[in-house]
C-alpha cells in the first residue's frame, strides 16, 4: 500500500461524514425551530471554539497536512463560512483539493522531512510519517470528534456511525 | 518507514496523553472537592458513554487493532475500572501490550486481509491499511477526543496540547 493510501482516503472519509452531520444538524434546527446560529456557535465550554470553527479547522488540518506532506504550496483559506451550507461547501472544496493530488506525489513522503509551524513563532521538523501520525491526524480527528460532540451534546440525533460515515 | 511506524507510535502517543488528562481531572476533583465518580460517570448526553467507558474503549481500539493487524490473538479485557488510578493502569497495561509487538510483526500487514466484527452478528474484511485508516484510528481518536470533551465540558483545565501529549 502507498503512503497516499495511508493518508488521503482517511481524510476524505471524515470530511464526507462531517458534511452528513451538518445536514442532520440543519434538519434538526428546522424540525425543532432552532436558529441555525445556535448550533453553529455552540461550544462545549466558553473558551473552546464553536462548531463552525471546528469544521474550518478540520478542513485546514486535512488540506495543509496533504500540502506539507507533498511539499506543495500550503493553501490559506479565509474562515468566512456562516451557514451550514457554506460549511458543507468548505468541506466539499477541501475534498476536491485532496482529490487533486496524484498518488505519486506521496511516494517517499513518509521518510522526507516536513517543517511546519507550531504556535506563532516556532517551527518543528519531523519525518512525513511522524508528521502525519503524530500531528496531522490527531489534530484532524480531535476537531472532527469535537464537532460531533458539540452536536451530540445539543441533542442532534447522530452517533458514531455518522461520524465514521458508515451507512 | 514501516507499517509499525505508522500505527503503534500513534496509539502510544494518545494513550499516554490520556493518562495525563486523567491525572489533571483527578487533581481537579481534589482541588474543587468533587467526588471522582462525578467526572468518571460524566457524559455529553444521557445516551452517550461516560468518561470511564470512553477510556476503556480507547484501550480496546488500540489493543484489538494491533492484534488484528498482526493476526495475533485478540485480547479481551473486562471493563472493571472504577477509579482514575485504575483507568491509568488500564492505559499503562495497554501501552505495555502495544510495546510487546516486534516491528517485523507489522511487515506486510498493510496489504493483508483483516476480518473483524462489526455489530453483534456481522463481520467485515478489509486490507490492513484500510482497517487501520478507516476503522481502527477513527474509532480510537473518536473515543479519545470524546473523553477530552467530557472533561473540558466539566471545567477541567486541559486543552489540545494535553490531548496531543505535547509538553
Amino acid at each position: 500500500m502507498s503512503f497516499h493510501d495511508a493518508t488521503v482516503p482517511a481524510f476524505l472519509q471524515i470530511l464526507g461524514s462531517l458534511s452528513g452531520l451538518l445536514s442532520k444538524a440543519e434538519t434538526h434546527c428546522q424540525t425543532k425551530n432552532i436558529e441555525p446560529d445556535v448550533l453553529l456557535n455552540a461550544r462545549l465550554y466558553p473558551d473552546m471554539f464553536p462548531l463552525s470553527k471546528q469544521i474550518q479547522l478540520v478542513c485546514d488540518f486535512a488540506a495543509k497536512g496533504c500540502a506539507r506532506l507533498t511539499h506543495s504550496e500550503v493553501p490559506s483559506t479565509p474562515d468566512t463560512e456562516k451557514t451550514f451550507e457554506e460549511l458543507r461547501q468548505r468541506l466539499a472544496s477541501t475534498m476536491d483539493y485532496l482529490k487533486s493530488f496524484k498518488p505519486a506525489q506521496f511516494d517517499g513522503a513518509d521518510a522526507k522531512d516536513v517543517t511546519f509551524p507550531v504556535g506563532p513563532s516556532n517551527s518543528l521538523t519531523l519525518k512525513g510519517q511522524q508528521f502525519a501520525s503524530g500531528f496531522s491526524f490527531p489534530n484532524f480527528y480531535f476537531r472532527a470528534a469535537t464537532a460531533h460532540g458539540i452536536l451530540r451534546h445539543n441533542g442532534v440525533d447522530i452517533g458514531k456511525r455518522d461520524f465514521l460515515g458508515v451507512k
Side-chain angles (χ1 to χ4, degrees), chain A residues 14-24 88-89 91-92 95:
Chain A
I14 300 298
L15 292 168
S17 75
L18 288 178
S19 189
L21 288 184
L22 292 181
S23 293
K24 286 202 173 185
R88 279 193 300 265
Q89 285 173 9
L91 288 162
M95 293 174 76

Side-chain angles (χ1 to χ4, degrees), chain A residues 63-111:
Chain A
K64 294 186 179 185
C66 289
R68 293 191 202 286
L69 283 170
T70 57
H71 301 267
S72 309
E73 190 182 345
V74 177
S76 177
T77 311
D79 291 336
T80 57
E81 295 81 8
K82 302 240 175 277
T83 65
F84 285 114
E85 177 55 27
E86 286 170 4
L87 287 170
R88 279 193 300 265
Q89 285 173 9
R90 172 82 175 258
L91 288 162
S93 67
T94 305
M95 293 174 76
D96 286 344
Y97 173 73
L98 264 61
K99 289 176 188 169
S100 75
F101 288 98
K102 293 182 177 61
Q105 290 180 265
F106 287 79
D107 289 353
D110 52 334

